[in-house]
């Protein structure tokens, strides 16, 4: 693995609360990496340490070969962050907001103009550059937030719940932009999200709970390990069907039996053995919601923990 971020034995406490408790993980260069956990699990603390916003207590953080204990300024130049809430001035225009951000990285004059033009083209911002940030729609604001994070041409884009509160169409638009950045710029994307369908698209997923990493792997490997398959039988509830399902884990709700199975093979055997009850049914694979629930004992979906 070509790890652009390497974390080893990282610890950070706030008083008696150990927010991050000796975690280890790597983020592969050019990948989409998902970091999952409920509020207070340690996600934001870890991100803030990587981005040099707060100092760690112990452990090591290596970003693109640079040790955070020796090269803080260099690491800051490699990272762009889209925070949960905007940090831009609502009264200033989009252009002025981005120009101020660019100045932090020494961008002025022709260099700034060139970079603004490049980002405006990439994120389709040309028509709103002169508009006040506070007058933009939610989707437009998110595009500008991403532009702010890209002004310094980072190698790593950290997205801290970038689509929470956005409608489905705007969420899709934001992800179209993120995927375009990955394809065209080979950018590494470090994502935290409450939407499991977003995590399902990641190359690798790490789940953190109470400051410790409790599971990691590809979405497929995690689903194979921590989730079950389900068969939904759409029919009226009856003692006959309940008798057939006796000994299995199932429930009946909204006109359907939901039967928990260990595999698709078990679903197949059940269908072959009792075809008379399968007039209307579907088999569903377990998803990342199941993984998160089974690993942490809690649900994480749609911005709610």
């Amino acid at each position: 693995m070509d790890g652009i971020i390497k974390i080893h034995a990282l610890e950070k406490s706030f008083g008696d609360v150990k927010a991050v408790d000796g975690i280890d993980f790597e983020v592969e260069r050019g990948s989409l990496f998902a970091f999952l956990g409920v509020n207070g699990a340690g996600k934001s603390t870890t991100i803030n340490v990587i981005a040099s916003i707060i100092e760690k207590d112990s452990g090591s953080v290596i970003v693109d070969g640079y040790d955070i204990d020796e090269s803080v300024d260099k690491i800051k130049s490699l990272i762009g962050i889209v925070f949960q809430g905007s940090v831009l001035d609502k009264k200033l225009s989009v252009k002025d907001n981005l120009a101020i951000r660019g100045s932090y990285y020494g961008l002025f004059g022709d260099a700034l103009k060139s970079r603004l033009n490049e980002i405006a083209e990439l994120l389709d911002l040309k028509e709103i550059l002169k508009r006040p940030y506070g007058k933009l729609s939610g989707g437009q604001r998110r595009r500008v937030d991403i532009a702010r994070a890209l002004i310094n041409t980072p190698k790593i884009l950290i997205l801290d719940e970038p689509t929470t509160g956005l409608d489905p169409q705007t969420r899709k638009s934001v992800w179209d932009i993120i995927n375009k950045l990955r394809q065209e710029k080979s950018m590494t994307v470090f994502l935290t999200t409450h939407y499991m369908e977003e995590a399902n698209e990641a190359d690798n997923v790490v789940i953190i709970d109470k400051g410790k990493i409790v599971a990691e792997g590809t979405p497929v490997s995690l689903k194979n390990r921590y989730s079950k398959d389900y068969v939904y039988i759409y029919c009226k509830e009856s003692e006959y069907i309940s008798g057939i399902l006796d000994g299995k884990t199932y429930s009946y709700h909204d006109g359907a039996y939901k039967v928990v199975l260990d595999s698709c093979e078990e679903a197949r055997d059940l269908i072959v053995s009792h075809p008379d009850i399968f007039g209307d049914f579907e088999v569903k694979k377990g998803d990342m919601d199941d993984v998160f629930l089974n690993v942490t004992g809690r649900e994480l979906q749609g911005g709610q923990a």
Side-chain angles (χ1 to χ4, degrees):
M1 172 187 272
D2 181 13
I4 193 169
I5 299 176
K6 299 180 180 181
I7 307 297
H8 177 65
L10 180 63
E11 295 192 0
K12 177 63 181 179
S13 296
F14 298 97
D16 295 332
V17 178
K18 181 155 283 190
V20 177
D21 191 4
I23 64 174
D24 299 85
F25 66 87
E26 288 192 21
V27 179
E28 187 173 0
R29 189 180 305 274
S31 68
L32 172 58
F33 174 89
F35 198 44
L36 306 182
V38 299
N39 293 333
K43 304 188 306 299
S44 294
T45 299
T46 303
I47 288 173
N48 288 337
V49 169
I50 294 172
S52 304
I53 296 172
I54 61 176
E55 293 185 359
K56 60 184 173 61
D57 292 337
S58 60
S60 66
V61 176
I62 308 296
V63 179
D64 199 28
Y66 295 95
D67 192 318
I68 202 169
D69 291 331
E70 302 170 357
S71 308
V72 171
D73 290 340
K74 180 62 179 178
I75 289 175
K76 285 183 177 180
S77 72
L78 297 171
I79 294 174
I81 305 179
V82 177
F83 296 98
Q84 294 179 38
S86 177
V87 294
L88 296 179
D89 192 313
K90 293 182 179 180
K91 295 182 179 180
L92 292 180
S93 69
V94 170
K95 183 177 180 180
D96 287 343
N97 267 299
L98 296 179
I100 291 171
R101 180 64 180 175
S103 69
Y104 297 160
Y105 295 94
L107 291 174
F108 301 97
D110 290 341
L112 176 61
K113 183 178 179 180
S114 175
R115 184 58 182 153
L116 287 177
N117 286 338
E118 182 181 358
I119 289 179
E121 181 71 29
L122 180 67
L123 301 180
D124 193 22
L125 300 177
K126 289 185 177 180
E127 293 185 1
I128 62 173
L129 281 175
K130 295 181 180 181
R131 292 177 59 185
Y133 178 80
K135 298 294 185 181
L136 302 179
S137 68
Q140 290 171 330
R141 289 189 191 189
R142 234 17 182 170
R143 279 157 48 203
V144 177
D145 292 338
I146 293 172
R148 170 199 163 277
L150 297 177
I151 197 73
N152 58 317
T153 317
K155 289 186 177 183
I156 301 164
L157 181 62
I158 296 177
L159 303 171
D160 193 4
E161 298 176 22
T163 61
T164 296
L166 300 180
D167 62 84
Q169 184 175 353
T170 304
R171 285 174 59 203
K172 181 181 182 304
S173 176
V174 169
W175 272 104
D176 286 344
I177 292 170
I178 295 168
N179 290 329
K180 181 179 181 181
L181 287 170
R182 292 189 61 218
Q183 292 169 6
E184 296 184 1
K185 306 296 182 181
S186 299
M187 187 172 288
T188 304
V189 176
F190 187 117
L191 169 73
T192 75
T193 181
H194 280 157
Y195 295 101
M196 292 298 99
E197 66 270 25
E198 294 179 349
N200 195 55
E201 300 301 315
D203 297 299
N204 198 54
V205 177
V206 165
I207 299 176
I208 185 171
D209 191 46
K210 298 177 182 177
K212 293 181 177 292
I213 290 176
V214 292
E216 61 182 310
T218 65
V220 171
S221 68
L222 289 173
K223 285 185 283 188
N224 286 340
R225 184 174 181 183
Y226 294 108
S227 71
K228 300 285 187 179
D229 294 331
Y230 305 93
V231 61
Y232 289 82
I233 307 170
Y234 298 100
C235 61
K236 291 183 179 180
E237 188 172 14
S238 72
E239 291 184 5
Y240 173 65
I241 296 177
S242 297
I244 291 173
L245 300 177
D246 187 40
K248 299 184 181 298
T249 301
Y250 73 91
S251 61
Y252 186 87
H253 186 66
D254 288 340
Y257 283 93
K258 178 183 178 181
V259 188
V260 182
L261 304 170
D262 289 327
S263 65
C264 283
E265 288 76 13
E266 187 179 354
R268 177 199 60 202
D269 293 342
L270 184 62
I271 294 167
V272 170
S273 300
H274 302 281
D276 56 314
I277 68 173
F278 285 93
D280 187 7
F281 73 96
E282 63 179 324
V283 178
K284 290 185 178 181
K285 297 286 291 182
D287 56 23
M288 288 301 296
D289 288 296
D290 292 323
V291 171
F292 193 89
L293 177 61
N294 290 330
V295 168
T296 68
R298 285 170 281 185
E299 293 183 347
L300 182 68
Q301 187 175 17
Q304 296 292 325

